[in-house]
Amino acid sequence: MKLGIGIGWRPEIADAVEALPGIDWVEAVAENICTGHLPDSLVRLRERGVTVVPHGVSLGLGGADRPDPGRLADLAARAELLSAPLVTEHIAFVRAGGPRVSSPGLEAGHLLPVPRTRDALDVLCENVRIAQDSLPVPLAVENIAALISWPGEELTEGQFLAELVERTGVRLLIDVANLHTNHVNLGEDPATALDELPVEAIAYVHVAGGVEKDGVWHDTHAHPVTGPVLDVLAELRSRVDPPGVLLERDDDFPPAPELAGELDMIRATLDGASRDAKRSAPRVARPSARAGASTPCDATRDRLAVDQTALLSALVAGGPAPRDFDRERLGVQSRALAAKRAGVVARVAPELPEILGGGYRDAFLSYATSRPMSGGYRRDALDFAEQLLIAGRPADAVARRRLTHWWQDRAGAHPPRRTTRLVRAARAALIGR
């Protein structure tokens, strides 16, 4: 299906998206769509004939556990509600722990990389097939940006994706900004990855902005698209004419004219690369699918669960760094995750930075150092406020009273008693081991 040029629909820029010229389709975060009430803006776009594609962020297809049936049902419902031609998700894990490893569950609040090993590929392939069987439309999966890499990887990114497609028939959503991110952070060549990919399996392409700090590229989706990202887009276009290309922006939204300018740059890049398209793209030999590798045994999932739990514990719960990981880079990733949590909590609970003022960010980052999310960002906001109140903070009595009222309105009549606090402290200690 030919999608054309699109933009990520977000409530903050809904009016701007509707007014932008030349928009053929939009992508909406699936988890932000309520099946009982479609936002008026999306209703109007659909009435105009604009295609809407739901983009999932919480399945965790690269995790050790099989996809949650409830999450799959929710994604399927959104696809049907929007009459979408396909749905998309990520090649990532987003949670770990739980019964498989007899530990508390951990939520990353972020997309984390899957080890490019044969075992992890076996698990991913089965998870993708489960998702495909549960969805009413085709599935496409996206490569992610990474700050860290797993030791002992057996496949390149291109090889990993190629075998995934060969074994499952899944479509690909290729994010050229993520290929650039992995070039800066991990030294991976985007052109090599594109040469190894089955480009004919591409359903569409993401383009997004980011920023480099101290030699690390952060895929923020909150900055303008840069020249190097457009260069990767041109490399891709020289190999294939993608069915769709979409501009992503998730924060620090610019005025509509700036969004229109970025879309124009994308169009110009595609047009220029089309004129210089290679007659036959070089292809690198791809790994063959292994017989008997389609259904991983429980032991394979258990090993992956242990490894992912150890990594996530180090990143969000103050656990020790797993063996052979780059400790400095783990620290960068951990701080980035905490900063993201602080930003998202400030958006879903804007009263907190208002009550705490300039002390909000430092207080939240201190809280997040050893307290992983347990139930999404709204629960995170309540837990953060609860911990402040238990500690007798903030020091200002007026602010503390306002925070108490805010917490009571959303969580209960009074902060937890001492017994509850001891239980939670013991749980936090267990997570941090």
Side-chain angles (χ1 to χ4, degrees), residues 5 14 24 55 65 80 100 161 180 187 194 205 214 217 241 292 320 336 338 381 393 401 406 428:
I5 299 295
D24 302 307
H55 184 53
D65 290 323
E80 292 177 334
R100 189 176 288 277
L161 295 179
H180 171 68
L194 291 172
V205 174
D214 300 324
W217 187 268
D241 182 11
R393 299 172 60 198
R401 188 160 52 249
W406 180 88

Side-chain angles (χ1 to χ4, degrees), residues 350-414:
E351 301 88 352
L352 293 179
E354 178 189 345
I355 293 170
L356 300 174
Y360 163 76
R361 186 173 178 82
D362 286 346
F364 189 91
L365 293 179
S366 176
Y367 152 83
T369 300
S370 60
R371 295 185 181 277
M373 285 198 303
S374 60
Y377 287 107
R378 286 180 174 80
R379 180 72 257 171
D380 207 20
L382 288 170
D383 290 346
F384 168 56
E386 176 184 296
Q387 292 305 314
L388 288 179
L389 294 172
I390 288 172
R393 299 172 60 198
D396 179 77
V398 174
R400 189 166 63 253
R401 188 160 52 249
R402 289 183 63 197
L403 184 63
T404 300
H405 291 160
W406 180 88
W407 189 89
Q408 288 172 337
D409 287 344
R410 291 156 181 80
H414 50 74

Side-chain angles (χ1 to χ4, degrees), residues 169-191:
V170 74
R171 306 293 301 280
L172 294 176
L173 161 50
I174 295 300
D175 190 316
V176 294
N178 292 349
L179 291 178
H180 171 68
T181 301
N182 294 347
H183 171 62
V184 176
N185 294 346
L186 308 178
E188 299 176 351
D189 180 24

Side-chain angles (χ1 to χ4, degrees), residues 72-363:
L72 283 172
D74 288 344
L75 187 55
R78 283 153 179 79
E80 292 177 334
L81 174 69
L82 296 167
S83 299
L86 77 163
V87 297
T88 57
E89 248 291 353
H90 299 82
I91 300 170
F93 80 99
V94 297
R95 62 188 62 87
R100 189 176 288 277
V101 291
S102 301
S103 75
L106 297 170
E107 290 284 340
H110 190 69
L111 304 163
L112 294 175
V114 176
R116 296 175 197 150
T117 62
R118 292 290 182 181
D119 277 359
L121 181 59
D122 288 347
V123 171
L124 175 63
C125 285
E126 185 181 36
N127 288 352
V128 165
R129 283 192 290 268
I130 291 170
Q132 288 171 315
D133 290 343
S134 302
L135 296 169
V137 293
L139 170 68
V141 290
E142 179 180 359
N143 60 304
I144 71 163
L147 289 176
I148 55 177
S149 59
W150 287 80
E153 292 191 319
E154 300 165 334
L155 300 166
T156 66
E157 180 163 36
Q159 292 169 341
F160 193 82
L161 295 179
E163 186 161 338
L164 173 66
V165 170
E166 182 179 359
R167 289 168 56 176
T168 66
V170 74
R171 306 293 301 280
L172 294 176
L173 161 50
I174 295 300
D175 190 316
V176 294
N178 292 349
L179 291 178
H180 171 68
T181 301
N182 294 347
H183 171 62
V184 176
N185 294 346
L186 308 178
E188 299 176 351
D189 180 24
T192 299
L194 291 172
D195 286 343
E196 293 173 335
L197 285 177
V199 293
E200 66 279 0
I202 294 176
Y204 63 89
V205 174
H206 273 172
V207 183
V211 63
E212 187 171 349
K213 294 180 181 178
D214 300 324
V216 175
W217 187 268
H218 296 268
D219 179 48
T220 64
H221 292 193
H223 293 80
V225 176
T226 63
V229 170
L230 293 175
D231 290 343
V232 181
L233 177 63
E235 280 281 351
L236 185 148
R237 178 61 187 91
S238 74
R239 291 159 172 77
V240 69
D241 182 11
V245 178
L246 181 128
L247 172 65
E248 279 192 298
R249 187 74 177 233
D250 293 327
D251 205 353
D252 291 341
F253 299 101
E258 291 186 28
L259 291 174
E262 290 197 81
L263 287 165
D264 287 342
M265 286 195 301
I266 289 171
R267 293 186 183 97
T269 299
L270 292 170
D271 289 343
S274 174
R275 289 191 293 271
D276 300 330
K278 301 173 184 177
R279 291 173 181 261
S280 59
R283 307 309 285 267
V284 176
R286 298 175 186 160
S288 299
R290 294 179 301 158
S294 58
T295 305
C297 64
D298 284 343
T300 300
R301 288 186 178 273
D302 290 345
R303 288 193 299 272
L304 184 62
V306 169
D307 291 343
Q308 291 181 339
T309 301
L311 175 58
L312 192 50
S313 177
L315 292 175
V316 305
R323 182 179 178 181
D324 294 332
F325 273 91
D326 184 325
R327 293 173 183 270
E328 182 178 349
R329 191 56 65 85
L330 283 179
V332 172
Q333 178 71 87
S334 181
R335 290 189 293 274
L337 291 177
K340 178 181 178 180
R341 281 174 68 186
V344 176
V345 166
R347 289 198 296 273
V348 302
E351 301 88 352
L352 293 179
E354 178 189 345
I355 293 170
L356 300 174
Y360 163 76
R361 186 173 178 82
D362 286 346

